[in-house]
Amino acid sequence: MDLKTQWNRLDPATRGWLMDHPGCMILPRTISARVAKVIDEPVLLDQHGAIQLSEEDVTFIRGRAHSASAAAGAQRFFDAVQPG
């Protein structure tokens, strides 16, 4: 799965959630279900129905969040630890 190529297919609420939680590496099942519904390729879900994002997806989401906050004139601080 590559969120960058599928970004415009996601509904605005899902994109908003992703940008509000840019450090999230594992999507909750409700967000995972929304993402899986619009992705063109098979999506790997864990036993709880969640999607684990790749490092590239997290970097892309953080970039989108930074761009959106910069356009709004706000500053955001992202503090997240990547899983080991």
Side-chain angles (χ1 to χ4, degrees):
M1 179 182 79
D2 181 28
L3 278 181
K4 186 175 184 177
T5 60
Q6 303 293 324
W7 185 255
N8 292 328
R9 298 186 69 208
L10 297 173
D11 63 277
T14 303
R15 288 192 306 250
W17 189 94
L18 291 167
M19 289 194 300
D20 288 341
H21 302 89
C24 186
M25 292 292 294
I26 300 175
L27 301 180
R29 69 175 165 229
T30 54
I31 301 299
S32 295
R34 291 182 196 171
V35 171
K37 188 166 56 171
V38 299
I39 299 295
D40 289 337
E41 56 194 68
V43 176
L44 181 62
L45 302 172
D46 69 9
Q47 69 269 22
H48 304 291
I51 296 173
Q52 182 168 354
L53 296 177
S54 68
E55 186 66 35
E56 293 82 23
D57 288 335
V58 173
T59 301
F60 170 73
I61 293 168
R62 285 183 180 163
R64 296 294 296 211
H66 282 293
S67 296
S69 63
Q75 292 183 350
R76 295 180 72 179
F77 176 72
F78 301 115
D79 185 20
V81 176
Q82 303 302 318

